[in-house]
Amino acid sequence: MSTLGRLVSGRRGELLAVGIIALVAAALRLYQLGTWSFWGDEIITVERAVDLGGLAPSRWSLSILLTHFALARWGVSEASARLMPALLGVATVPVLYFLVRIVFDRPTAILAAVLLAISPWHLYWSQNARFYTSLLLFFTLAIFLFYLGLERDRGVYFLLAAICLGLAALERPLAIAFVPVAGVYLIVARPPLFGVPKGMRWRNMAWLVGSGLLAGIYLLLTFPALRTPTSWEEIFGWVNTTPFWIAGGVVFYLGIPTVCLALAGAWDLIARRNRAGLLLLLLSVLPLLGVMLLSLFQYTANRYVFISLGGWVVLAAAAATALLRAGKPARRVLAYGVVAALVLAPLSQDVLYFGYQHGNRDNWKAAFGYVELHRKEGDFVVTPDRRLGDYYLGGETLGMATLQLEPLLAANRRIWFVEDLNVVQKWPWLHEWIWAHARLVANYDVHVEARKFNMNVFLYDPADASIRGQASTLANVAPNTSTGGW
């Protein structure tokens, strides 16, 4: 038995270990929860949670209902809006432990729970007023229950998997990724590579197909973008990134040690004809390949791959546990080194996340705070996202999407422009005009490895003749025009 196995061999030791890991997860997710600025999608969540009546009841997901309760109880703030996603993120850690404990063993489950608890990707989405932690929780439950239903030939598992998949679909249509993952698994997980699972029978397949059809009909009926081409084009009809950028972002948030060990663990498990290893490999890889393909012709982001996180951490934990068990004790020093790298890599990213990278997001709060401090009565404020501007400035701002610049100039008033990294892609004409005719008065860029979250504040003052035609003066602070997607 490995050292890790001896530590958690007893029931008390096991529960104590899970409790400590959950406390670590809670401490990370609740620390500085309200420090970071809202960003555009979070404001959408807040508006929907505050006014549930404006959202069809069929769209009332668990995350929306819980956030509605938090905002009603504690008022609207960054901390209250993110509290429930953070708690759902904490809850996912022990849930993953017990799922992995059933399919694999205690040491693998402990290490998988540790990796999820300190995962910078999971930490980030736990500190966002969005649906991703609840989506991951229900999607991972659905995948594991699907596997157990096949292995144990128990219809109740398929029923529970369908319920969890439905709850995941309530969060977002990204849950449809279950279809290719489960479909490819059913095709591949059979002779000659693998034995036939006990539950591979027509009755269970009917459960799966029926659940899939119901989920598909539900998604079409409740998400307008799926049935209205014009709506889909408006939201997703612009290319913002590349397949390489998507893959690079996913590897960055997972960490190179996790990715390498997960792939090695999948290879080892499949070589030993372990069907769980095959399913987890499909869970890890297929969503990534699908989003990389979509990035060629529509808007995508690496957060669409977040639902695969459980697969990556479990495979990496399985590989690390196998290394600790293999070979003579003297050779385990290398295994301990590998496990240390697996744990220290995400912890180092967590330190950067809290201490240097402003929670890996735009610093809208500082930018609008500068405008609030220096603006005068009658000034216009133009922003890429009116919701954010109105929230932080407590009043009416102008959105770039519908901006008519000529009437503003004719009013002969000062104009503030708050510019993020998307402006150069979505409104290049306005971006060029701002840099040529307005003064750069403040900069709040956030640097995260290879990505920079541009955040510039400009002031156009018609009374200041020195700002006209100053494009050459600003050449030394030209904006970063690299594509986004992280």
Side-chain angles (χ1 to χ4, degrees):
M1 182 183 293
S2 67
T3 303
L4 187 58
R6 288 192 294 271
L7 288 174
V8 297
S9 57
R11 185 65 174 171
R12 287 186 178 180
E14 178 183 22
L15 294 178
L16 178 62
V18 175
I20 292 174
I21 296 169
L23 286 175
V24 170
L28 287 172
R29 283 149 185 78
L30 296 177
Y31 179 60
Q32 296 192 43
L33 186 63
T35 299
W36 325 122
S37 307
F38 275 134
W39 58 287
D41 285 7
E42 285 187 292
I43 291 293
I44 295 174
T45 298
V46 169
E47 289 179 346
R48 290 174 176 174
V50 168
D51 182 21
L52 282 180
L55 192 66
S58 58
R59 297 283 301 278
W60 290 1
S61 64
L62 178 65
S63 64
I64 282 290
L65 292 173
L66 291 177
T67 302
H68 172 79
F69 168 80
L71 297 180
R73 178 65 178 82
W74 294 291
V76 176
S77 69
E78 290 89 346
S80 60
R82 295 168 181 157
L83 178 60
M84 293 306 174
L87 295 179
L88 286 168
V90 174
T92 307
V93 173
V95 168
L96 182 69
Y97 169 83
F98 288 108
L99 291 173
V100 178
R101 172 72 178 85
I102 294 170
V103 175
F104 290 96
D105 50 44
R106 287 179 180 175
T108 302
I110 285 288
L111 192 51
V114 168
L115 293 178
L116 186 63
I118 63 176
S119 165
W121 206 7
H122 196 262
L123 168 62
Y124 173 79
W125 286 114
S126 295
Q127 293 200 324
N128 267 275
R130 296 298 281 159
F131 51 83
Y132 287 98
T133 52
S134 49
L135 174 63
L136 177 68
L137 172 60
F138 293 126
F139 191 83
T140 304
L141 276 166
I143 288 289
F144 273 88
L145 289 167
F146 160 73
Y147 174 79
L148 291 172
L150 285 174
E151 292 298 313
R152 300 185 178 185
D153 192 18
R154 296 283 301 277
V156 66
Y157 286 119
F158 290 105
L159 175 61
L160 293 174
I163 293 173
C164 289
L165 184 60
L167 291 171
L170 273 172
E171 299 294 347
R172 265 310 180 270
L174 291 169
I176 201 68
F178 182 91
V179 175
V181 171
V184 174
Y185 177 77
L186 291 173
I187 294 172
V188 178
R190 54 179 58 246
L193 294 177
F194 300 91
V196 179
K198 290 191 301 183
M200 191 79 80
R201 58 179 73 237
W202 287 109
R203 179 196 64 191
N204 295 333
M205 297 306 101
W207 269 106
L208 289 172
V209 173
S211 301
L213 288 174
L214 289 175
I217 294 171
Y218 164 78
L219 292 174
L220 287 173
L221 292 177
T222 57
F223 286 87
L226 292 177
R227 64 177 187 271
T228 309
T230 55
S231 177
W232 185 276
E233 180 67 20
E234 180 182 350
I235 300 172
F236 301 105
W238 57 290
V239 175
N240 66 311
T241 186
T242 66
F244 177 79
W245 192 259
I246 291 292
V250 171
V251 172
F252 166 74
Y253 276 118
L254 288 172
I256 292 176
T258 298
V259 172
C260 293
L261 271 181
L263 294 176
W267 179 276
D268 176 63
L269 290 169
I270 292 173
R272 293 190 277 117
R273 302 296 189 266
N274 185 299
R275 287 188 290 267
L278 171 64
L279 180 60
L280 291 173
L281 177 63
L282 295 173
L283 170 61
S284 302
V285 172
L286 289 184
L288 173 59
L289 294 178
V291 174
M292 290 173 66
L293 178 62
L294 288 173
S295 70
L296 294 173
F297 51 85
Q298 71 161 60
Y299 177 89
T300 52
N302 67 23
R303 59 182 178 267
Y304 300 163
V305 188
F306 182 70
I307 55 175
S308 68
L309 177 59
W312 289 104
V313 298
V314 174
L315 286 173
T321 305
L323 283 174
L324 291 172
R325 288 171 175 157
K328 298 179 181 180
R331 296 180 180 177
R332 289 181 189 160
V333 175
L334 293 176
Y336 292 139
V338 171
V339 175
L342 185 64
V343 173
L344 290 176
L347 283 176
S348 67
Q349 289 298 322
D350 293 343
V351 171
L352 293 174
Y353 171 89
F354 285 114
Y356 303 96
Q357 296 173 177
H358 188 71
N360 294 355
R361 68 199 80 191
D362 303 282
N363 198 349
W364 293 101
K365 187 187 296 187
F368 286 118
Y370 183 92
V371 174
E372 179 66 22
L373 183 64
H374 295 90
R375 69 174 175 170
K376 301 176 180 178
E377 185 177 355
D379 287 357
F380 294 115
V381 180
V382 179
T383 170
D385 194 316
R386 286 190 59 190
R387 294 183 178 95
L388 283 167
D390 291 349
Y391 175 80
Y392 282 113
L393 295 178
E396 195 71 18
T397 58
L398 302 173
M400 292 182 178
T402 58
L403 181 68
Q404 295 184 15
L405 189 58
E406 292 78 7
L408 297 189
L409 298 177
N412 202 37
R413 299 182 189 175
R414 300 199 310 172
I415 309 172
W416 295 89
F417 295 93
V418 180
E419 183 187 71
D420 69 348
L421 62 83
N422 290 316
V423 174
V424 67
Q425 295 175 322
K426 301 179 74 171
W427 306 286
W429 67 271
L430 182 58
H431 166 79
E432 293 177 5
W433 189 94
I434 292 171
W435 280 84
H437 297 92
R439 184 186 302 280
L440 178 62
V441 294
N443 174 266
Y444 299 99
D445 290 349
V446 174
H447 295 265
V448 182
E449 297 291 333
R451 189 182 186 190
K452 182 169 72 171
F453 291 91
N454 297 91
M455 186 57 58
N456 298 311
V457 180
F458 293 87
L459 174 61
Y460 172 80
D461 188 346
D464 186 355
S466 65
I467 66 175
R468 302 183 186 279
Q470 63 169 322
S472 59
T473 308
L474 298 175
N476 61 334
V477 288
N480 174 11
T481 58
S482 61
T483 56
W486 288 22

